[in-house]
Amino acid sequence: MTTHGTSDSHGNDTDAHGRGRERNRIEREISIAAPVERVWAVLTEPEHVGSWFGQGAPTPVDLRPGGIMHLDHGEYGQFPTTIVTVEPPHRFSYRWASAHPGEVAVEGNSTLVEFTLTPEGDGGTRLRVVETGFAEIEIPEDRIKTAGYESHSEGWTAQMENVRQYAERLAA
């Protein structure tokens, strides 16, 4: 007998009994006391990306759909992400093959990371990140600890705080 699955309210696949089959979506939001344009720069400009995600050195960024942004994740590897969406200063997305260091991210080996920036309050920004696609990729056993859902779920909580702190320091 075949059971059909659906997605629960968090975007996780569930079986016919409502049990989680695969965790496939991570979503985080944070308020940042900096203007949207500043947060956009932090997410997309070479001199900033390496400061909140990386080793501090400028990150090569070809900021266009199909362009490559090279993320340096230190001991975890170098990741040539493929940029998907560039809509300044509100939407930015890229594919990230976190289970395959050194490989260019394409559909089939990567997750999709999407940032949405919304102005809020007194010149601040609401930043949302959504990473999806864990269920569609094969993660080698030796990379699950660093490229799997749990790792990224914890990682985005920390990275969003890094973005907030960095952007607020720049805006001061």
Side-chain angles (χ1 to χ4, degrees):
M1 180 169 118
T2 304
T3 57
H4 293 43
T6 59
S7 291
D8 67 15
S9 63
H10 303 290
N12 297 316
D13 291 338
T14 57
D15 65 16
H17 305 286
R19 294 181 299 235
R21 205 173 42 212
E22 200 69 53
R23 289 172 292 177
N24 200 38
R25 178 185 180 92
I26 297 166
E27 184 172 342
R28 299 283 179 272
E29 285 193 42
I30 196 167
S31 288
I32 300 174
V36 168
E37 293 77 13
R38 178 62 50 93
V39 177
W40 174 264
V42 166
L43 294 175
T44 62
E45 293 180 3
E47 65 271 24
H48 300 305
V49 176
S51 295
W52 67 268
F53 189 109
Q55 308 305 301
T59 298
V61 179
D62 181 4
L63 191 60
R64 63 179 175 82
I68 301 292
M69 176 171 66
H70 293 271
L71 296 179
D72 181 351
H73 206 21
E75 67 182 284
Y76 305 111
Q78 306 283 322
F79 299 92
T81 67
T82 301
I83 296 171
V84 176
T85 306
V86 179
E87 296 176 8
H90 300 289
R91 289 188 62 233
F92 174 58
S93 68
Y94 58 83
R95 296 195 81 61
W96 179 19
S98 63
H100 308 283
E103 286 186 29
V104 172
V106 295
E107 283 191 45
N109 76 349
S110 63
T111 54
L112 181 64
V113 176
E114 301 173 275
F115 292 97
T116 305
L117 297 79
T118 308
E120 72 174 9
D122 296 335
T125 302
R126 186 76 176 163
L127 176 62
R128 181 171 152 242
V129 65
V130 176
E131 183 175 11
T132 55
F134 293 94
E136 288 83 38
I137 60 172
E138 289 290 326
I139 301 175
E141 192 66 35
D142 65 334
R143 297 293 299 183
I144 289 175
K145 204 170 156 187
T146 59
Y149 178 90
E150 290 81 8
S151 169
H152 285 226
S153 185
E154 292 173 15
W156 280 118
T157 299
Q159 294 296 12
M160 291 291 273
E161 183 59 25
N162 289 345
V163 170
R164 184 189 68 75
Q165 289 177 10
Y166 184 79
E168 289 178 357
R169 277 196 310 270
L170 286 178

